Amino acid sequence: MPNYVSVRTKTNRISFQIAKRTAWILLLLSLLLVLITVLGLSAGSEFIHPVTVVKELLGYGNGDYDFVLHTLRLPRVLMALLVGAALGVAGLILQGIIRNPLAAPDIIGITSGASMGAIIFIVYFMGSVSIQFLPLAAILGAGIVSFVIYLLSWRKGVTPIRMVLIGIGISALAKAVVTMLLVISNVAATTKAYLWLTGSLYGANMQDVYLLLPWLVILVPLTFILARTVNVKELGDEIAIGLGVKVQVYRLLFLLISVMLAGSAVAFAGGIAFVGLVAPHMSRMLVGRSFAGLIPVTAIIGGIIVIVADMVARTAFLPKDLPTGVFTAAIGAPFFIYLLFRTRNQ
């Protein structure tokens, strides 16, 4: 009995295999995601029984919690899911194309670029320009910084090690610019900027969800279609070129996808850290290294991490609502330390 399920189109332009183990883990993670989503909707200043939550969502409730669920909690939980999925897949792509387990949007400069763009907007344009343009400023910042990293990394092509080293340097420079802007700006702008930098889903609404959703609906399936290329690239640039893969073209394409995923997530939720770093590692521990199988698993794990972190952030210290990024770091940092010790002992 085969251990893999093959999926291909008639023209074989889209072709991949998914292990049956991956399919079962994906099913279990999906069920876990549904459970955590219901718990996230139940938790708050007033606990709503999960059965009541399900009834309200399916339209069989009495409407007592309609405002709390549909206006306050549901947009925030959905936003946490989308942000976590986007950051997780963005980190997975970077680790795949750079072939470095430390690669992540918040390490090689993408998140720092988005943060710099957002802080420039907050300090210089907020008040004169609508706050709705803040996500655009963050995405532009991520794109510009990523372009600079790619340009400086180019020397008869881009090598993974050069991209990592230059990305770390540009990230440090972007963080220095952000710190300078915070020092010279007024108290109101600084306070808002600090909250945004930490990463928060406070005030999320369905309009934000609808704006972020298309980025994932387009980019995640596109990544899935191109998954076979990443599997070949992990063998090394020379072997991939020998097999007919246009390494530099695909590296640039995947970098753009990662930038758009991470930039759009950071644009709406701020600088939430560690998700893009640890979610891919957790996925590999569960399903191995097949990139096609890792994409949906990483997306779900990233979503679960951010939903849990946000649920703790808004309930553990009531009536205070703390930034979600504090708790993603609390989840991610211990796991990453464990991963380092695990790798050293192998």
Side-chain angles (χ1 to χ4, degrees), residues 91 93-110 145-146 148-154 158-172 251 255 277:
I93 292 171
L94 288 176
Q95 291 175 14
I97 64 173
I98 297 177
R99 302 197 306 276
N100 189 316
L102 295 179
D106 47 337
I107 290 179
I108 74 163
I110 296 175
V145 168
S146 300
V148 171
I149 293 171
Y150 193 85
L151 189 64
L152 294 177
S153 302
W154 185 272
V158 174
T159 59
I161 187 63
R162 283 179 60 82
M163 188 179 291
V164 170
L165 294 176
I166 291 175
I168 292 173
I170 296 297
S171 177
R251 182 168 288 150
L255 179 62
L277 183 63

Side-chain angles (χ1 to χ4, degrees), residues 17-93:
Q17 290 182 322
I18 295 182
K20 290 185 177 180
R21 169 185 168 86
T22 301
W24 280 109
I25 289 177
L26 189 58
L27 176 60
L28 293 175
L29 284 173
S30 299
L31 294 175
L32 178 61
L33 175 62
V34 171
L35 175 62
I36 289 177
T37 299
V38 173
L39 290 176
L41 293 171
S42 299
S45 56
E46 179 184 0
F47 183 81
I48 303 173
H49 196 281
V51 175
T52 304
V53 170
V54 174
K55 287 182 177 180
E56 289 286 345
L57 292 178
L58 296 178
Y60 295 106
N62 54 22
D64 291 344
Y65 299 102
D66 184 71
F67 177 77
V68 173
L69 286 177
H70 291 90
T71 303
L72 299 181
R73 296 184 186 177
L74 183 60
R76 187 159 177 168
V77 171
L78 291 177
M79 181 60 70
L81 171 61
L82 296 178
V83 166
L87 291 175
V89 175
L92 176 67
I93 292 171

Side-chain angles (χ1 to χ4, degrees), residues 275-297:
V275 178
L277 183 63
V278 302
H281 286 288
M282 291 181 177
S283 301
R284 291 190 193 94
M285 294 172 66
L286 292 174
V287 300
R289 299 190 62 85
S290 174
F291 196 76
L294 285 170
I295 294 170
V297 173

Side-chain angles (χ1 to χ4, degrees), residues 101 135 138 197 202 208 250-251 259 262 273 295 297 318 323:
L197 286 171
Y202 180 80
D208 294 337
Y250 279 104
R251 182 168 288 150
V259 167
I295 294 170
V297 173
L318 288 171

